[in-house]
Amino acid sequence: MSKSSRGLGHELLDESLQGSPTVVSSHPTHTKKLYLESYGCQMNYSDSEIVASILDEAGFATTRNSDEADLILLNTCAIRENAEQRVRSRLRQFKSAKAERPHLVVGVLGCMAERLKESLLEQEKLVDLVVGPDAYRDIPNLVKQVEGGQKAVNVLLSREETYAEISPVRLDSNGVTAFISIMRGCDNMCSFCVVPFTRGRERSRDPKSIVREAHELFEAGYREVTLLGQNVDSYKWNLDNKGQVKDPNQPVVRFAELMEKVAAVQPDLRIRFSTSHPKDMTDDVLHVMAKHENICKYIHLPVQSGNSDVLKRMNRGYTREWYMDRMAAIRRIMPKCAISTDIMTGFCGETDAEHEDTLSLMREIRYEMAYMFKYSERPKTLAERKYENDVPEETKSKRLQEIMELQRENGTARTLAMKGKTYRVLVEGTSKKRDDQFFGRNTHNAVVVFPKGDAKPGTYVNVQTLDCTPATLIGEITLEEADA
Ligand code: SAH
Ligand code: SF4
Ligand code: F3S
């Protein structure tokens, strides 16, 4: 699975990417070297590209080799406990490297910054530098402060920062697919979730800068952009949180309008987005998707649980019936749209019957793909304060196994149903398993592999699918018209 297929908060799923070092070509005048490792969701990977850009301006070239770095930064995730543990063990390794190279500066960025600043800086003395997600412009100053012999920290969250005008340095890019952050933070307060605490209030980025970035990417050869936000359906420009227009002389732009604008950049630029929120997803977004061929027919719509009482305790803002109504709207407006989801097992108080409701919802919907997790209690969240984390670990694991097994069946059936059809596929690169094959994706986000022929990465080809594994379609390039 490639980086671009991951949703927000899915840091457990792609071990090969965990802590993957990122690199860009070094600038001749740059004398210092930055080693940057990213954990967590697409948002964090996208932020790392902003950090690389800010540090590029400050004279740092990136390197893949931590041994030659002057500055090591870990962009961290706090979504589940094991995400944090992984970072801590990595930091311990760098602490020993620091003993040998005293000039080395080690810092933590991202979602662990706010909560763990004291423990990381003072108690465990694992790092010199802690910077929260809204303070990245301050990194060059903070590094100077550390070089001057002090510890440095800035974890202030902002109501305005969107890094709108910063051109991200595309790290580890395939040159074909890229992320564009359209908003930051989250105002939802789902009771299990740490993100509102780590990333602060929701704010949307200026649509002009988003469209400009999409144009620039197209000019640079990119053919797919994924618009990123924790809840893209609540994107709003020129509206305050109460829905009042801020500047009457400026247009109001909501997510549906933003998508229209990005879709209009170039018919050959594909658009994906993540994450949609069931409580906010409106039919006008679905109609815009249906209208534009270059908006991919794929929606990631996290359900979390199939039981309305559990959803209430999770403070998700919808019921099972509401979710099913949104599903019905998708099927009505785009009958072939692929759907994926996030599901959590063992949330506080979850009974066997409530778990069964999740299984029955999965049987009804038959998701193409799902990210599945065991509930992990997070400090400061509403769930931690209000509910007991009372589902035993074995029960959580058993339920997780059950939903994973069901998803395996559903996913395989979904892939099988695509077999035999011809798809327009954007070529992303050489298949990991076979040098003589390319891989790409169809509009439904299914991975398709096929012999290279004369195709090139960054172009579209029609592929007739002949065979499949549970999650991959196998085919060959054809001149026939595509079914989708
Ligand atoms: N903003 C997105 C989700 C971001 S977090 C949304 O609302 O859908 C990605 C996923 O991680 C969530 O959908 C949830 O399934 C999972 N997750 C979040 N907090 C968690 C926790 N405390 N324990 C286990 N999984 C969690
Ligand atoms: Fe977390 Fe809920 Fe916001 Fe998603 S919508 S980031 S789950 S608080
Ligand atoms: Fe993403 Fe993890 Fe933060 S999922 S928003 S990096 S807590």
Side-chain angles (χ1 to χ4, degrees), residues 66-87:
S66 61
D67 292 341
E68 60 171 29
D70 304 282
L71 172 61
I72 291 179
L73 295 176
L74 265 62
N75 196 357
T76 62
C77 173
I79 200 85
R80 285 166 287 273
E81 199 183 344
N82 50 9
E84 289 192 358
Q85 277 161 0
R86 238 186 345 257
V87 167

Side-chain angles (χ1 to χ4, degrees), residues 186-190 192-196 230-231 277 304 316:
C186 184
D187 280 353
N188 277 325
M189 298 306 246
C190 300
F192 52 80
C193 183
V194 80
V195 173
Q230 293 297 353
N231 175 358
H277 198 300
Q304 313 299 356
R316 284 289 286 180

Side-chain angles (χ1 to χ4, degrees), residues 319-380:
T319 57
R320 177 185 175 118
E321 290 67 36
W322 174 276
Y323 188 92
M324 292 311 290
D325 171 75
R326 295 291 73 217
M327 281 303 307
I330 298 171
R331 303 274 196 236
R332 189 173 63 240
I333 298 166
M334 288 174 292
K336 293 195 179 128
C337 188
I339 312 287
S340 62
T341 200
D342 293 348
I343 299 175
M344 208 186 296
T345 62
F347 186 64
C348 309
E350 188 189 60
T351 62
D352 280 334
E354 288 168 343
H355 166 64
E356 280 301 322
D357 283 345
T358 298
L359 293 168
S360 78
L361 177 129
M362 291 174 75
R363 280 187 205 104
E364 245 177 272
I365 294 177
R366 301 171 77 230
Y367 292 106
E368 265 77 8
M369 212 254 299
Y371 297 99
M372 294 156 283
F373 311 100
K374 279 191 277 187
Y375 169 60
S376 160
E377 185 177 81
R378 307 311 290 136
K380 276 213 229 170

Side-chain angles (χ1 to χ4, degrees), residues 8-11 39-44 76-80 110-112 194-195 198-199 230:
L8 292 178
H10 306 131
E11 86 326 321
Y39 295 78
C41 64
Q42 289 172 335
M43 208 86 203
N44 251 16
T76 62
C77 173
I79 200 85
R80 285 166 287 273
C111 291
M112 278 170 70
V194 80
V195 173
T198 64
R199 289 189 164 261
Q230 293 297 353

Side-chain angles (χ1 to χ4, degrees), residues 25-42:
S25 59
S26 31
H27 197 287
T29 59
H30 290 174
T31 49
K32 291 188 181 167
K33 292 216 164 85
L34 159 70
Y35 175 86
L36 181 56
E37 248 178 41
S38 303
Y39 295 78
C41 64
Q42 289 172 335

Side-chain angles (χ1 to χ4, degrees), residues 214-349:
H215 265 290
E216 287 168 1
L217 285 163
F218 187 84
E219 291 304 315
Y222 288 82
R223 292 295 176 266
E224 183 181 297
V225 294
T226 303
L227 307 179
L228 290 182
Q230 293 297 353
N231 175 358
V232 290
D233 300 287
S234 97
Y235 175 90
K236 48 184 155 324
W237 181 250
N238 198 23
L239 279 180
D240 65 20
N241 285 347
K242 296 195 182 81
Q244 303 292 319
V245 176
K246 286 191 196 160
D247 177 351
N249 300 316
Q250 296 287 325
V252 166
V253 180
R254 292 194 185 77
F255 185 56
E257 288 109 24
L258 178 73
M259 280 222 290
E260 293 246 64
K261 286 176 193 293
V262 183
V265 166
Q266 267 290 340
D268 265 355
L269 183 68
R270 265 185 175 179
I271 294 136
R272 298 187 188 276
F273 54 89
S274 185
T275 300
S276 304
H277 198 300
K279 86 177 158 59
D280 294 323
M281 195 188 67
T282 53
D283 285 3
D284 58 344
V285 168
L286 303 176
H287 287 299
V288 169
M289 287 180 76
K291 188 169 129 196
H292 294 274
E293 212 183 308
N294 58 338
I295 305 182
C296 291
K297 303 300 174 278
Y298 169 73
I299 300 179
H300 183 63
L301 195 65
V303 66
Q304 313 299 356
S305 165
N307 176 276
S308 296
D309 292 335
V310 175
L311 290 168
K312 190 155 200 287
R313 295 200 290 281
M314 288 179 168
N315 202 26
R316 284 289 286 180
Y318 55 87
T319 57
R320 177 185 175 118
E321 290 67 36
W322 174 276
Y323 188 92
M324 292 311 290
D325 171 75
R326 295 291 73 217
M327 281 303 307
I330 298 171
R331 303 274 196 236
R332 189 173 63 240
I333 298 166
M334 288 174 292
K336 293 195 179 128
C337 188
I339 312 287
S340 62
T341 200
D342 293 348
I343 299 175
M344 208 186 296
T345 62
F347 186 64
C348 309

